[in-house]
Amino acid sequence: MQIGFKHLCIMIAIVIALILFSSFLCLIVLPSPKEIIESLRSSEMMFSLKLTLISALISTILVMIVGTPAAYALARFSFPGKKIIMTILDLPIAMPEVVLGLALLLLFGKTPLGTFLKYLGIRVVFTKIGVVVAEFFTALPYAMRTLYSTFETISARYELVARSLGYGAFETFMKITLPMARSGIIAALVIAFARSVGTFGTVLILAGGTYMVTETLPVTLYLNMSYGNLGMAITSGLLLLGVSFITIYMVERLGGRT
Amino acid sequence: MKSILLVKDLHVDLGEFKIEDITFTVDRGDYVCVIGPTGSGKTILIETIAGLYKPKRGSIILDGEDITDLPPEKRNIGIVYQDYALFPHMTVFDNIAFGLKKRISKKSEIIREVKTIAQKLGIEHILHRRPTTLSGGEQQRVALARALVVRPKLLLMDEPFSALDFKTRSRLRKLVRDVVSEYNTTVIHVTHDFEDVWSLANKVMVMYRGRILQYDTVEEVFNRPCSDFVADFIDINVMEGVVTCSNDKTIVRIGDLEIMSKDKVYEGSRVKVFIRPERVLILKYRPDKKFENILEGFVENIENRGSMIYVWARVNNILMKCAFTPNILNIVDFRIGDKVYLCFRSDDVRLFVFS
């Protein structure tokens, strides 16, 4: 009885993995190599790839700069409203990207904050800055989850010992906590980058998904699918798939090394 | 100034745990062991002294300076934990040198200081290694070296030996005793192990439910516990009686029994009688002399606690326990129901008058 159940579970795992793998294989096998190389060389693809990588890089850096101290605060200190803050920061994970995009569009468009930023000459809505902002808010919760659990596993005792030896709170964070959180931080970095590269709904609503202006790889895939340009769509899909594979590989490698 | 630490009316509230009404002083060079059941607030107390928690009220004065509101890095207090808390991304050398780097800029001086303490603690051969590759005993010596090398005014230790095996523990105890006296460090040491108290401390603090029940010399606490709880916790025989004669020697009547003590107490006083179980000799025959107190009873229970054997004997209506090392069992074999004689000297009987 037990052996039968065990085999059934293993079979379900194998079948579902096979279906998923076949779909990836379709992406690689079905299009002709010539078509892919042509698509890769097109100015639209070059633009999209460049914008995707640069915006993802900037948003990842911002996510880490903001997410690291914020996750540390949530993991280490108790303060009023901590639970609500944690829930709010986690919300985008459960929220559809288009809803997050809409919310951000309204915040940066119609509120005093949007007006103030416009006054400073910073236009978020339907611009490349909007791409970065959209990616930032989409990737932040994922990175923060990783960072939060990393900091939580590091005992506060290490910090107290360092401080008892004469190091201030910030110095202790830099010399003890951060190096000890190294693998978690790298994992968060990789996740933030992957999420930024793959952000679609938020970018589409906040930055507009305009051809050759705010066009990132997922937008390229979407736009070309709607024109019926399958070669371009598949090429952007392949590039995104490549990023995902590298991400998973790096997370697995770094995750094992604590 | 004789006292180095003065804790006054300290209250710390962490929600689930709190400590209240904590007032005590520690003299320079004292070795204080803090004992008490799990959850009694021992660790919160030392972590508050180290600066981890902000007290609700009260003050902590270290070497004449009010450190209550100072951050941990300004206190000059060392701390050693049960799980060592060695920085895993640094070598043993860098761990020990970590605090020195804040105080000394000359590299050669840092190297000299680290090597000196490493030699004293017998860890000079592992300075290049990472903490994760060390044994528990080695890790604890590194943690001790790291804390002591900066010569803190006060060293706090939270169950430093509890994760070590018996042999390593006793070896480390000797090492701690030597190195602490050489560096003339004042120590507060939280422990569950009475052997730490007997072999290291000159003072002992008993805590329970966030309060200090008794704080005195080891001799006083272990011979004259201030309450039934402390008596029970330190595993001492407690009886209640009335003093019937107080001439040269004091005689206490406990039910039908008479026990002689050297403590001077007025006739008619109601007293608690304390006798440490290790001070009671249990024999199968009546000894001829030497003991002022010889009580006849029957063995009711025998418990082997590893390093000590405990025998409970009923004398009339009173249950008394005595403790001895297991090798005695090779000579005398005790069984439940055996008739035995409990023998102890009058100066091992301590009296505590209560109203």
Side-chain angles (χ1 to χ4, degrees):
Chain A
M1 186 69 184
Q2 259 188 342
I3 289 171
F5 177 67
K6 175 182 149 188
H7 285 128
L8 184 70
C9 292
I10 292 172
M11 222 169 66
I12 291 172
I14 291 172
V15 168
I16 198 74
L18 267 178
I19 294 172
L20 208 56
F21 184 69
S22 310
S23 70
F24 300 152
L25 220 57
C26 290
L27 262 182
I28 301 164
V29 174
L30 288 186
S32 72
K34 200 180 141 211
E35 210 177 2
I36 288 179
I37 290 167
E38 254 174 38
S39 305
L40 270 175
R41 279 184 178 162
S42 72
S43 57
E44 185 189 353
M45 191 60 75
M46 290 313 284
F47 174 88
S48 173
L49 183 62
K50 209 168 130 191
L51 179 64
T52 306
L53 292 178
I54 292 173
S55 64
L57 196 73
I58 296 170
S59 71
T60 303
I61 291 169
L62 293 176
V63 162
M64 295 311 288
I65 290 173
V66 173
T68 308
Y72 179 70
L74 293 172
R76 196 55 95 238
F77 312 119
S78 52
F79 50 89
K82 179 174 154 176
K83 280 213 169 128
I84 297 170
I85 290 174
M86 283 180 83
T87 312
I88 293 172
L89 287 173
D90 253 357
L91 209 58
I93 291 180
M95 199 192 259
E97 280 189 21
V98 281
V99 179
L100 178 65
L102 184 63
L104 291 172
L105 180 74
L106 295 174
L107 176 73
F108 288 108
K110 299 220 166 197
T111 61
L113 176 70
T115 320
F116 177 67
L117 286 175
K118 243 180 254 167
Y119 170 74
L120 292 178
I122 302 168
R123 287 178 176 276
V124 176
V125 177
F126 303 147
T127 63
K128 290 189 177 68
I129 295 175
V131 175
V132 173
V133 171
E135 289 175 350
F136 171 82
F137 282 105
T138 311
L140 183 72
Y142 291 90
M144 275 196 64
R145 274 200 164 188
T146 311
L147 290 167
Y148 174 81
S149 54
T150 304
F151 288 131
E152 239 200 351
T153 53
I154 299 171
S155 165
R157 290 179 168 183
Y158 291 98
E159 290 166 7
L160 181 60
V161 168
R163 295 193 65 185
S164 77
L165 290 167
Y167 289 78
F170 180 66
E171 267 181 307
T172 298
F173 180 72
M174 296 304 282
K175 284 182 191 281
I176 303 299
T177 320
L178 275 189
M180 283 180 73
R182 189 176 149 267
S183 58
I185 285 171
I186 295 173
L189 207 109
V190 173
I191 288 167
F193 186 74
R195 282 302 300 141
S196 296
V197 166
T199 305
F200 172 61
T202 329
V203 169
L204 192 72
I205 304 288
L206 183 66
T210 317
Y211 173 74
M212 296 279 273
V213 178
T214 55
E215 186 182 347
T216 56
L217 282 174
V219 176
T220 308
L221 193 153
Y222 168 74
L223 289 177
N224 283 285
M225 273 306 283
S226 38
Y227 309 150
N229 193 349
L230 204 61
M232 283 289 281
I234 290 176
T235 308
S236 38
L238 275 175
L239 287 172
L240 287 168
L241 191 67
V243 173
S244 308
F245 267 123
I246 293 168
T247 309
I248 291 290
Y249 175 73
M250 284 180 76
V251 169
E252 293 282 325
R253 259 198 68 171
L254 298 168
R257 218 182 340 132
T258 314
Chain B
M1 196 166 36
K2 204 180 158 210
S3 80
I4 187 154
L5 179 72
L6 172 65
V7 175
K8 217 171 144 190
D9 191 31
L10 197 69
H11 284 62
V12 182
D13 194 350
L14 301 178
E16 251 179 278
F17 294 105
K18 57 181 168 185
I19 53 173
E20 294 172 299
D21 288 331
I22 305 286
T23 298
F24 67 96
T25 57
V26 177
D27 290 340
R28 207 176 290 273
D30 266 352
Y31 198 114
V32 180
C33 271
V34 184
I35 56 174
T38 308
S40 54
K42 309 183 292 288
T43 300
I44 299 177
L45 173 64
I46 64 164
E47 286 186 335
T48 306
I49 295 171
L52 185 63
Y53 305 119
K54 208 175 151 48
K56 216 163 96 184
R57 68 164 199 259
S59 60
I60 306 166
I61 316 283
L62 181 68
D63 207 10
E65 186 190 2
D66 189 341
I67 60 162
T68 319
D69 295 320
L70 283 186
E73 62 269 25
K74 299 259 193 275
R75 296 188 177 205
N76 200 7
I77 293 175
I79 189 156
V80 171
Y81 279 112
Q82 170 190 1
D83 52 6
Y84 327 118
L86 297 176
F87 309 133
H89 56 292
M90 296 181 194
T91 61
V92 168
F93 180 92
D94 289 332
N95 263 280
I96 301 174
F98 189 72
L100 282 176
K101 285 178 187 162
K102 266 272 152 189
R103 292 161 172 82
I104 310 170
S105 52
K106 240 177 148 183
K107 217 174 169 186
S108 59
E109 214 173 310
I110 292 175
I111 295 172
R112 206 189 56 225
E113 288 277 336
V114 172
K115 284 197 168 159
T116 309
I117 193 137
Q119 205 175 10
K120 284 193 173 76
L121 288 162
I123 47 172
E124 67 270 45
H125 60 291
I126 53 167
L127 285 175
H128 62 282
R129 280 168 59 185
R130 293 263 170 175
T132 41
T133 66
L134 307 178
S135 72
E138 286 170 335
Q139 290 194 53
Q140 198 52 289
R141 277 184 279 171
V142 177
L144 198 62
R146 181 179 62 182
L148 278 176
V149 78
V150 296
R151 295 171 195 268
K153 285 180 181 166
L154 178 67
L155 177 66
L156 307 170
M157 297 207 272
D158 190 8
E159 298 188 42
F161 311 135
S162 61
L164 305 170
D165 62 81
F166 181 75
K167 237 180 162 176
T168 313
R169 215 180 299 168
S170 56
R171 219 179 303 142
L172 258 179
R173 255 186 223 121
K174 187 184 171 328
L175 205 60
V176 165
R177 201 170 42 216
D178 294 347
V179 82
V180 156
S181 73
E182 195 180 330
Y183 277 70
N184 196 24
T185 315
T186 310
V187 182
I188 300 180
H189 174 159
V190 168
T191 184
H192 275 118
D193 191 342
F194 288 164
E195 281 190 41
D196 288 344
V197 182
W198 292 321
S199 60
L200 292 166
N202 64 322
K203 284 185 186 161
V204 63
M205 179 186 292
V206 187
M207 285 190 76
Y208 183 55
R209 291 189 176 163
R211 288 169 190 272
I212 297 175
L213 294 187
Q214 193 170 7
Y215 174 53
D216 215 316
T217 60
V218 177
E219 172 80 5
E220 192 64 19
V221 172
F222 275 82
N223 285 309
R224 247 188 274 262
C226 70
S227 68
D228 287 353
F229 178 83
V230 176
D232 184 49
F233 186 73
I234 62 172
D235 226 1
I236 195 170
N237 285 300
V238 191
M239 292 162 277
E240 275 181 38
V242 180
V243 176
T244 54
C245 171
S246 60
N247 296 330
D248 188 25
K249 288 212 170 138
T250 309
I251 294 171
V252 185
R253 174 160 287 282
I254 307 161
D256 303 334
L257 295 176
E258 278 195 340
I259 287 179
M260 212 182 277
S261 169
K262 268 197 179 154
D263 281 5
K264 296 277 172 234
V265 175
Y266 287 118
E267 204 174 309
S269 310
R270 281 177 60 76
V271 287
K272 279 195 193 281
V273 180
F274 300 116
I275 310 161
R276 287 223 54 83
E278 316 84 64
R279 297 290 181 179
V280 181
L281 181 67
I282 183 165
L283 296 169
K284 281 185 123 175
Y285 56 90
R286 180 180 280 275
D288 323 327
K289 46 188 172 180
K290 272 193 182 174
F291 297 101
E292 294 98 328
N293 296 296
I294 300 170
L295 309 176
E296 199 180 300
F298 293 91
V299 174
E300 203 164 291
N301 192 18
I302 303 167
E303 192 182 303
N304 188 342
R305 292 191 191 169
S307 58
M308 291 294 253
I309 306 281
Y310 280 75
V311 172
W312 277 261
R314 189 166 288 282
V315 183
N316 292 354
N317 278 326
I318 298 158
L319 204 57
M320 275 185 78
K321 62 182 166 243
C322 42
F324 49 85
T325 49
N327 57 359
I328 304 286
L329 285 183
N330 296 331
I331 310 165
V332 195
D333 184 23
F334 293 104
R335 285 175 195 283
I336 290 170
D338 280 357
K339 186 175 178 181
V340 285
Y341 296 91
L342 304 176
C343 320
F344 44 94
R345 297 174 343 151
S346 58
D347 31 359
D348 288 327
V349 179
R350 314 316 291 263
L351 305 179
F352 180 78
V353 183
F354 66 104
S355 53

